Amino acid sequence: MNALRTLVSPRGAVFLLLGILLVAVTILNPSFAEPGQFMRFIQRVAPIAIVAIGQYFVIIAGEFDLSQGSLITAQVIIAGNLVGQDDSRTIPVLLLMVVFGAVVGLVNGVITTLLKVPSFIVTLGMMLALLGGVMWWTGGAATGNPADSFREIGRGGIRDVPFLEFIPWAVFILIGWLALGIWITKRPLGKLLIAVGDNATAVDFAGARSAWVTTRAFMISSLSATLSAVLLVGYAGVHPSVGRGYEFVAITAVVLGGVVLGGGRGWIVAAAAGAFALEALFMLLNIAGVPSTLRDAVQGVIIIAAVAYSAVAFRARRRRGPHNPPELGPSETAGTAEPVSTATTRTIHTETRGD
């Protein structure tokens, strides 16, 4: 019963949905079950899953990052124009991209936390600024063509592997990035991010600097977008349209994975699984002949449905307990000058939820 309850919970339902979608795709397209085809599917989803992992850290802290897609576009253009056909520039340009991504995340975090500007507005402004810079640089047309050594990161891999045939580098990069993300969630930073999303005031009272904690979440998000851009250069080419809309895809994947908008609750593995479920759904719709123009509508419906399901499930859990803190009786509150604070209650929630 516990396993079944977990499977239908907001963070477990995405794995059930993913399994159903993969079976449906395989029935309609039997070649999808071939190891080589499945590896290609993972390679295609890897950039989306990596961006979703970055978005996860921002959302559990109670914020949004709408600049991911534009940052991907900017990084793709940087790679295409600065690397060129000179293999010796690959490492320096990669380092430049990492620094640029970290600076974008730092700016987003500082303005959000220190100037108290809503992250929705800050990252929306950053999105427009990056898009404007890209359009000014490229004139809206495809420019640059990085060396094959750079593009090999996104489209290359280990070939002639028994049974699997081909293992893309993107698979290893995704596994490594997810493992790093899981490690962060187990560290103090990950626990503080959940606490900040649950109750930032309580975190400040506890002595932690919630502003710096949230800023690091934005930096992780921007570095995720940078890594995704490196992979996309490999098979998507260098064009100002690469990366557009990825921020909304990432938010949809994270919400589909049961992460609560507003912060405080979520599982990073489920967020990554949400990216695979979303891509499998789009693949199924394409096979069924549903127009691709309905993709945005499907994403909107998924966000609304997932948020509603999470809210209903969480309210049901609170009614059942055990997450409800015990109510203090008159004898326990006697002699106190004021009622128990909300910050204390929310802190108890954070300690019991885990990740």
Side-chain angles (χ1 to χ4, degrees):
M1 289 299 295
N2 289 335
L4 180 61
R5 188 178 296 113
T6 300
L7 195 60
V8 298
S9 67
R11 79 174 190 175
V14 65
F15 297 99
L16 178 62
L17 175 63
L18 177 59
I20 294 173
L21 289 172
L22 292 178
V23 169
V25 171
T26 302
I27 292 174
L28 296 178
N29 182 20
S31 63
F32 178 75
E34 297 176 2
Q37 291 294 329
F38 191 71
M39 284 293 103
R40 293 291 184 184
F41 171 72
I42 299 177
Q43 182 184 32
R44 187 168 64 253
V45 182
I48 302 174
I50 290 172
V51 174
I53 290 170
Q55 189 73 237
Y56 162 83
F57 285 103
V58 176
I59 289 181
I60 63 168
E63 307 292 347
F64 287 96
D65 188 357
L66 300 182
S67 65
Q68 284 184 316
S70 298
L71 179 57
I72 291 174
T73 303
Q75 298 283 39
V76 166
I77 297 300
I78 289 174
N81 286 271
L82 297 186
V83 174
Q85 296 300 310
D86 188 352
D87 291 334
S88 64
R89 296 181 181 178
T90 297
I91 299 301
V93 172
L94 280 174
L95 294 176
L96 174 63
M97 293 171 66
V98 170
V99 172
F100 181 68
V103 170
V104 170
L106 180 64
V107 172
N108 285 338
V110 168
I111 296 178
T112 298
T113 57
L114 297 185
L115 300 184
K116 305 300 180 183
V117 180
S119 59
F120 183 89
I121 301 300
V122 174
T123 55
L124 178 63
M126 181 63 72
M127 176 183 73
L128 296 175
L130 291 174
L131 278 180
V134 167
M135 290 302 173
W136 171 80
W137 190 355
T138 65
T143 57
N145 184 25
D148 289 339
S149 60
F150 193 97
R151 302 193 66 177
E152 183 69 12
I153 301 173
R155 66 183 179 184
I158 303 176
R159 303 184 184 276
D160 300 325
V161 179
F163 182 70
L164 295 178
E165 300 176 8
F166 173 69
I167 304 179
W169 298 125
V171 175
F172 294 108
I173 293 173
L174 172 59
I175 293 174
W177 195 249
L178 179 59
L180 178 61
I182 294 173
W183 180 77
I184 292 175
T185 62
K186 303 299 183 183
R187 302 294 297 168
L189 174 59
K191 298 181 184 301
L192 283 173
L193 284 171
I194 293 177
V196 168
D198 196 37
N199 193 329
T201 303
V203 174
D204 288 331
F205 285 151
R209 294 181 296 174
S210 61
W212 176 230
V213 171
T214 303
T215 299
R216 280 183 284 178
F218 279 104
M219 294 178 70
I220 294 173
S221 177
S222 294
L223 291 175
S224 295
T226 299
L227 183 57
S228 179
V230 173
L231 296 179
L232 287 172
V233 168
Y235 61 86
V238 179
H239 193 276
S241 63
V242 175
R244 287 195 182 181
Y246 263 59
E247 63 278 358
F248 299 112
V249 175
I251 292 173
T252 306
V254 170
V255 172
L256 188 59
V259 181
V260 176
L261 294 179
R265 295 192 308 280
W267 187 27
I268 189 171
V269 178
F276 283 90
L278 188 63
E279 189 64 23
L281 175 61
F282 291 149
M283 181 184 298
L284 181 62
L285 294 177
N286 289 335
I287 295 175
V290 178
S292 60
T293 51
L294 289 177
R295 176 172 293 200
D296 291 340
V298 171
Q299 287 184 208
V301 171
I302 289 174
I303 291 176
I304 295 172
V307 170
Y309 179 63
S310 297
V312 171
F314 179 62
R315 282 198 296 267
R317 285 178 58 192
R318 293 193 64 180
R319 285 195 297 266
R320 288 196 310 265
H323 291 292
N324 281 337
E327 294 184 2
L328 300 180
S331 61
E332 294 170 283
T333 58
T336 58
E338 56 187 26
V340 180
S341 68
T342 303
T344 304
T345 303
R346 299 296 293 276
T347 304
I348 295 173
H349 286 179
T350 301
E351 293 173 351
T352 59
R353 282 177 192 146
D355 57 353

